Amino acid sequence: MNVKLLDLQAQYLPIRSEIRRAVDEVVRSAGFGPGPACRKFEKNLASYCGTKHAIGVSSGTDALLLRR
C-alpha cells in the first residue's frame, strides 16, 4: 500500500481557479517584487498573524537573517 506523505493535488484543486487568477494578475502587472500584490500579501499576513506589520522577503534564509 502506498500512502502519500503530502497530497498537494488535494490541496490545490479546490482553489485552483483562485490561485491561477492571482498568478495571472501578478504576471500581467509584472509585479514580482515590491508592489501592490506584495503589499496586499504583507497586510493580509499581518492581519492573519495578529501583528502590526509583516515583511515579505525573497527566501527563508533571508527571513532567518533578519531575525538576528
Side-chain angles (χ1 to χ4, degrees), residues 3-60:
V3 177
K4 288 185 178 182
L5 177 63
L6 179 62
D7 187 356
L8 295 178
Q9 287 294 317
Q11 295 176 25
Y12 169 70
L13 290 176
I15 58 173
R16 179 180 181 208
S17 61
E18 182 180 350
I19 290 172
R20 293 185 84 118
R21 276 193 306 273
V23 170
D24 286 347
E25 178 56 35
V26 169
V27 172
R28 191 173 22 262
S29 69
F32 303 108
C38 184
R39 285 191 295 276
K40 181 178 178 182
F41 171 77
E42 291 170 338
K43 182 180 177 183
N44 289 341
L45 182 62
S47 175
Y48 176 80
C49 293
T51 63
K52 190 173 181 180
H53 302 285
I55 300 171
V57 295
S58 64
S59 70

